[in-house]
Amino acid sequence: MKPLSGLRILEFDGLGPVTFAGMVLADLGADVLRLTRGASAGAPVFADVGGGILHRGRSSLAVNLKDAGDRTRVLDLIAAADGLIEGFRPGVMERLGLGPEDCAARNPRLVYGRVTGWGQTGPKAGEVGHDINYIALSGTLHAMGEPDRPPRPPLNLIGDYGGGAMMLVTGVLAGLIEARRTGAGRVVDAAMTDGSALLMSLFHALGARGLWSDARGANLLDGGAPFYRCFACRDGRFVAVGALEPQFYSALLTGLGLGEAEAPQYDTAKWPALHARLEAVFATRDRDDWAARFEGTDACVTPVLSLAEAPGHPHNAARNTFVGSGGIQPAPAPRFGGSEPRPEPEGAAMTFDGALARWR
């Protein structure tokens, strides 16, 4: 039994955070049913986005939300569900007759999870955007990248997934706990601007104490510190160095053949020279030579592995962090009680009658 076994979640198919949130909930054991939009409904087909990885663990049901009969049958499913997740622009579900009030009339215990870029309210709520726009407005993107260069987007991990999907999952799970206690559902408004801002809490705290600058690449955790950044090696590959604490920094210097006197750690005036010194040393060996040299030490030095290399690393292999043969994918996380969860394959397409029969 998985932690969320027995919970029934309707996922209105889309791109980005809703798809990821549905995968996480299914990985944790929820019975998640994806409501997909076919080409006949005049909407894009999302079936191939993410393939069998992001859609794993749940069956699908093609619906035309513009059709009154399909909407009625969707409400029948909502009556049997514990939660719902959707990522349409504000007002879309209301215009379809599937907004929170419509759904609560059929199921007052329903937790209605909504994820958008700007949120359900505010001057920009009705505008379009993407991950990069949301993290830009939250102040998060400004901190990413190299000094004197444009900010560099951190993939879509912070807005779509961290600030969007994971906040949606957290809100839905909190709502489900409350609904079991009170019998009343909740509407969860997960905005990527809010979530990405929340993820920056530490840096707001450091800034308030004068310990963080708005200048990119000038701080402790953004590549400004020469002992917390990546370095190029002789073969053009990279190592990641995270020797923040003095004892770890000492182990780093020992491995590099440097002395404490020539490389004081927290004398920021000497950081530019120390950057250059460490760059020159790391460039004398290949990445895997450095990885072997620092293996088993406290220097906090690791190879920067590619997506293709990561599954083969002994630590990842020992933990089955990646699973599958041929079509390798990340395993579900987190784990519970030492278990090694396996992802369920993507389920087959269903009919309304089949879905209702399963949930009755």
Side-chain angles (χ1 to χ4, degrees):
M1 293 287 289
K2 296 181 180 180
L4 299 186
S5 292
L7 285 176
R8 299 167 173 176
I9 306 291
L10 272 183
E11 171 192 343
F12 284 79
D13 196 30
L15 295 172
V18 169
T19 305
F20 189 82
M23 182 192 74
V24 170
L25 291 167
D27 283 349
L28 294 175
D31 184 356
V32 182
L33 177 62
R34 288 176 50 234
L35 301 183
T36 65
R37 295 175 284 171
S40 61
V45 177
F46 294 113
D48 294 330
V49 178
I53 297 180
L54 290 180
H55 293 157
R56 70 193 185 194
R58 51 228 203 259
S59 299
S60 61
L61 172 62
V63 300
N64 181 355
L65 296 179
K66 296 182 180 180
D67 178 80
D70 275 12
R71 290 198 302 272
T72 297
R73 287 185 282 270
V74 168
L75 283 169
D76 290 339
L77 287 169
I78 286 169
D82 297 293
L84 172 161
I85 56 175
E86 61 95 0
F88 297 117
R89 290 169 67 180
V92 170
M93 291 290 276
E94 284 82 354
R95 289 193 294 273
L96 291 169
L98 296 170
E101 292 184 6
D102 303 295
C103 294
R106 292 294 304 273
N107 182 354
R109 296 173 59 92
L110 183 77
V111 176
Y112 195 112
R114 322 189 79 171
V115 59
T116 57
W118 309 116
Q120 297 297 315
T121 61
K124 298 183 73 65
E127 296 182 12
V128 297
H130 284 292
D131 177 287
I132 191 171
N133 308 117
Y134 312 136
I135 67 173
L137 203 72
S138 72
T140 308
L141 182 58
H142 182 273
M144 308 290 172
E146 301 173 357
D148 303 319
R149 300 283 296 170
R152 184 175 293 275
L155 304 180
N156 67 328
L157 299 178
I158 293 178
D160 273 354
Y161 292 163
M166 296 311 292
M167 294 300 174
L168 176 64
V169 169
T170 301
V172 167
L173 294 181
L176 290 168
I177 292 171
E178 183 187 41
R180 290 196 166 185
R181 186 180 72 249
T182 67
R186 281 273 192 173
V187 178
V188 179
D189 176 6
M192 289 179 242
T193 48
D194 298 343
S196 58
L198 181 63
L199 292 174
M200 294 293 286
S201 297
L202 169 64
F203 307 102
H204 283 279
L206 292 173
R209 298 176 57 193
L211 299 176
W212 193 266
S213 163
D214 257 351
R216 275 188 303 283
N219 299 284
L220 188 63
L221 302 178
D222 64 358
F227 43 85
Y228 196 90
R229 53 161 288 192
C230 295
F231 290 93
C233 302
R234 183 173 58 189
D235 56 1
R237 295 188 287 181
F238 301 90
V239 292
V241 175
L244 288 172
E245 291 80 0
Q247 66 272 28
F248 301 156
Y249 182 64
S250 179
L252 171 67
L253 295 182
T254 297
L256 294 174
L258 301 177
E260 301 273 356
E262 64 176 310
Q265 184 174 15
Y266 281 101
D267 185 346
T268 57
K270 295 183 178 179
W271 276 5
L274 184 52
H275 274 287
R277 183 77 175 100
L278 296 186
E279 285 173 345
V281 175
F282 276 112
T284 63
R285 290 173 176 259
D286 292 348
R287 182 198 68 179
D288 292 346
D289 290 341
W290 285 120
R293 185 179 184 88
F294 284 106
E295 183 69 31
T297 74
D298 289 338
C300 303
V301 176
T302 51
V304 177
L305 302 179
S306 70
L307 292 178
E309 291 176 307
H313 189 277
H315 182 80
N316 294 333
R319 286 185 57 83
N320 292 319
T321 301
F322 298 87
V323 295
S325 56
I328 291 177
Q329 59 184 292
R335 303 182 186 187
F336 297 87
S339 65
E340 294 186 9
R342 298 284 181 175
E344 301 294 333
E346 183 177 3
M350 302 189 70
T351 64
F352 272 112
D353 289 343
L356 286 168
R358 189 169 83 184
W359 279 13
R360 280 180 179 145

